[in-house]
Amino acid sequence: MVTSRRRSPDGRARITLDEAEARLAEQYTGLVRLAYLTLPPTLGRHRRVLTAHGLVQRALPGFRLRRAAPRVPAQRLGAERHGSAWVRERVLRAALAYERRPRRWPGRLPPPRALRPMLPMVWGLRLFPRAGGREEIALGQALSGLSADVRAAFVLCRADGLPEAQVRALLDAAGARRPDRALRVAQQLGTPAVAAARTLLDSAEFDACVVQTRPTDLLRRKQRFRLAWAVAAVVAVGAVVLAATASPSGRQPPRPVVGAAPVAPEDLVRVPREEWADTARVDFTVWPSRGGRTGDRDLLARALAAWAHPPHGTRVTRAPDTYTGPPPRGTQLLYAGEADGSAVVLLHDGLRTVRYSEPLSPGGRARLDVARTDGSDVTTAAALVVSRTHGAVRYLTAPWVAQSHTRDLLRPGSPARPLRMSAEGVTEPVRAPARSGGPCTSWPALQLRSADRLMENHTFLVTDLGGLAPVHLTYTPPPGGTPPRQPREATGTAALRSWSRTACRLPGLPGGVRSVGVWDFAAQPLPEGGGRAVWSCVRADTWRGPGDVSVRFAVPGTTARVVARERATAACGRFGQHVVASTRWQAESGHNYLLAAGSRAVTGIEVAGAVRASVRARAIAVRAPATARTRVTARLATGGRITEVGRAQGD
């Protein structure tokens, strides 16, 4: 019988090794799921599965694990048994620490413990959970864009069903930096029904204990085996040569670098022109190779070389969080031609789109633009920028675009103007929108219609924000009716009117934006007959996953102003459909008011602080001094509570 015991730093919680091992075996599946979802998604599903099992198996006392004294005694983590809480805290602390650990050991050798094999180990196979449906995939994408502590809080609340106080204490004990904010964001991430979220998390998509296996790339494994022998032979020969030719001073000549073979123009994938009409996948991978210089081998070779190793003098721009490696095998040629005095090449490797341009006249500088475009669809892969000259943009449209127009978002009542396209799909120049700091007198957008055989009468808007791919614009109308309103294309009268109040704020968005949606979540009559105000939530989703949110308050006859902001949040998205916000407003009489409004599921609003008030409605207006410090919360129809956007719990 093993009788060793562990005591918390304050000396009050005693846990035997037998009890800890029993709790671990009893809750193994749940602990692995907690570790799997808390670990960074950048590890990939195979490494996350193995790492999650390894963290849980090393949670028992006796395994060497980075020690961090918990800030909350073990017995305060909830009503469950000490062994369960203690093991869960160990697993959670290890998973949170994994995301913050350094990935390299610059300037020195890795420590000996880093060279030991990490169990479990798998050779020659790839492990991954079974694929889920659309709901599970959407939830997984939403979780991947959040921080580790938020993912952990979501699992603890929705899957494990722990009370909020226990989750907050557990996060605090495990070393989370901001437990209150993590819990608040996790609550906003939940689906309208808590049971639905728990069902999704219990599905095979997130169960790292029920996995599928596939072999690794057998051909690549064979090639690597041969390459390893070749490298070993080169190193051995080099060592012999260096030993024989070493100088008396002991200095040796530089060692040659053995690298992968570069991609040649002949290796580029060229898709047939009509393939997009015969496939269920409609994105950049089905774009055909177009342009008058697709057969110019020298131009394509210069473009590939600039992508792999930009020559000195090349102007290079990369979107945020875009992989900077060279072009891989299977890179696709989208376009090679001439536009506005430059030779232009567009390439795509499944994750990134690259534009290479060089001036036709001698003396100019080449340019390389790299952007992340993975996970594109019929709207976000509808066009690419071919050239930017003299404040105008020329686009290459997707093969499924049947018609193109331009319209001014600041003039919703004006009709769209037809936009001419060449036989290759290249548009005439379109005036670029105003940049940040300049006067915002108009905002051009492309209004595109897809071919009927793809989607009948599907019209959508995209606009230029300075990136390689234009940004897709959507609109969600105010609440009303059942079921709740869903995002739709921003081409209707109400959508254009809403975007006319928002367009001039687009230059302030971060780089790498994929789509921007405006949600008019509430309309509120103003006190003293001041008219009717509209509350809008503007969500900018990026190609890398996270979304930034700003809440805007618009009064008739004035420009919408931003009243709240929040970065890397699920609010105002598919998994954050509940929102409440507040602002100050002054009537013509000079009286100051605190205004607050909530989304469809809000049943009551409470104001605390220097002013206290409550109402059983989705909007409130109360007299308050302009400098009064207040805090606004809302009650939901499900019984939960949310705080206003841009304000952390406990502030």
Side-chain angles (χ1 to χ4, degrees), residues 208-389:
C209 291
V210 180
V211 297
Q212 292 178 312
T213 62
R214 284 185 182 177
T216 56
D217 192 328
L218 301 179
L219 293 178
R220 183 174 299 179
R221 188 196 306 176
K222 191 173 183 179
Q223 293 172 354
R224 288 176 176 174
F225 183 77
R226 292 175 177 175
L227 180 61
W229 277 108
V231 171
V234 171
V235 171
V237 172
V240 173
V241 173
L242 291 176
T245 60
S247 62
S249 62
R251 297 180 180 177
Q252 298 179 349
R255 184 174 299 175
V257 178
V258 180
V263 177
E266 296 78 13
D267 301 326
L268 293 175
V269 176
R270 300 168 186 257
V271 177
R273 284 185 175 269
E274 294 300 321
E275 182 166 325
W276 66 270
D278 299 321
T279 178
R281 180 175 180 177
V282 184
D283 54 16
F284 287 115
T285 61
V286 296
W287 273 39
S289 301
R290 291 174 285 176
R293 300 184 65 173
T294 54
D296 190 337
R297 188 185 189 283
D298 293 338
L299 174 62
L300 299 180
R302 290 194 296 272
L304 291 169
W307 184 355
H309 302 287
H312 178 70
T314 303
R315 290 179 295 180
V316 180
T317 61
R318 291 186 175 91
D321 291 342
T322 301
Y323 174 59
T324 59
R329 293 284 178 176
T331 297
Q332 179 184 351
L333 174 61
L334 304 181
Y335 178 83
E338 297 179 359
D340 300 320
S342 297
V344 180
V345 177
L346 291 173
L347 303 168
H348 179 67
D349 68 352
L351 298 177
R352 302 164 293 172
T353 298
V354 171
R355 181 185 63 190
Y356 170 79
S357 62
E358 61 181 26
L360 297 176
S361 57
R365 298 171 59 187
R367 182 183 182 93
L368 185 73
D369 300 294
V370 186
R372 183 172 174 176
T373 55
D374 54 312
S376 58
D377 55 24
V378 64
T379 57
T380 53
L384 288 173
V385 173
V386 173
S387 66
R388 297 180 186 273
T389 55

Side-chain angles (χ1 to χ4, degrees), residues 379-586:
T379 57
T380 53
L384 288 173
V385 173
V386 173
S387 66
R388 297 180 186 273
T389 55
H390 309 295
V393 183
R394 196 185 295 269
Y395 298 92
L396 175 66
T397 58
W400 56 82
V401 173
Q403 292 182 359
S404 62
H405 294 73
T406 61
R407 70 178 315 128
D408 187 353
L409 292 181
L410 300 189
R411 294 168 176 79
S414 301
R417 180 181 66 85
L419 182 66
R420 294 191 302 272
M421 293 190 302
S422 69
E424 299 288 347
V426 179
T427 69
E428 63 179 308
V430 180
R431 189 162 52 86
R435 291 291 169 248
S436 180
C440 185
T441 57
S442 66
W443 194 278
L446 291 185
Q447 182 172 298
L448 306 176
R449 187 177 71 82
S450 58
D452 290 340
R453 56 178 167 172
L454 178 65
M455 192 177 299
E456 186 175 356
N457 199 26
H458 179 216
T459 304
F460 53 95
L461 292 182
V462 295
T463 190
D464 176 45
L465 289 186
L468 193 52
V471 176
H472 180 215
L473 305 180
T474 63
Y475 172 71
T476 305
T482 303
R485 303 289 181 89
Q486 299 296 323
R488 59 187 66 177
E489 302 300 346
T491 54
T493 302
L496 294 174
R497 189 181 303 115
S498 179
W499 267 106
S500 67
R501 301 188 296 262
T502 306
C504 287
R505 300 285 185 176
L506 288 175
L509 296 178
V513 174
R514 169 190 179 131
S515 62
V516 181
V518 175
W519 174 28
D520 291 341
F521 66 88
Q524 178 180 16
L526 296 174
E528 303 183 17
R532 190 175 183 84
V534 176
W535 295 81
S536 302
C537 191
V538 181
R539 179 177 177 85
D541 287 313
T542 60
W543 288 99
R544 61 188 184 275
D548 294 347
V549 163
S550 63
V551 176
R552 295 171 186 182
F553 178 79
V555 178
T558 62
T559 304
R561 58 188 177 92
V562 178
V563 299
R565 296 181 187 273
E566 193 160 331
R567 298 180 60 84
T569 177
C572 302
R574 184 177 183 182
F575 296 99
Q577 300 180 8
H578 310 314
V579 62
V580 64
S582 68
T583 188
R584 304 307 173 100
W585 179 78
Q586 188 177 61

Side-chain angles (χ1 to χ4, degrees), residues 617-638:
R618 293 198 301 111
I620 188 173
V622 58
R623 290 272 297 272
T627 58
R629 296 176 61 88
T630 58
R631 183 174 62 256
V632 174
T633 58
R635 297 185 302 275
L636 301 177
T638 58

Side-chain angles (χ1 to χ4, degrees), residues 601-606 614-617 633-637 639-642:
V602 170
T603 59
I605 297 178
E606 296 182 3
S614 64
V615 63
R616 292 185 177 180
T633 58
R635 297 185 302 275
L636 301 177
R641 303 183 70 87
I642 58 174

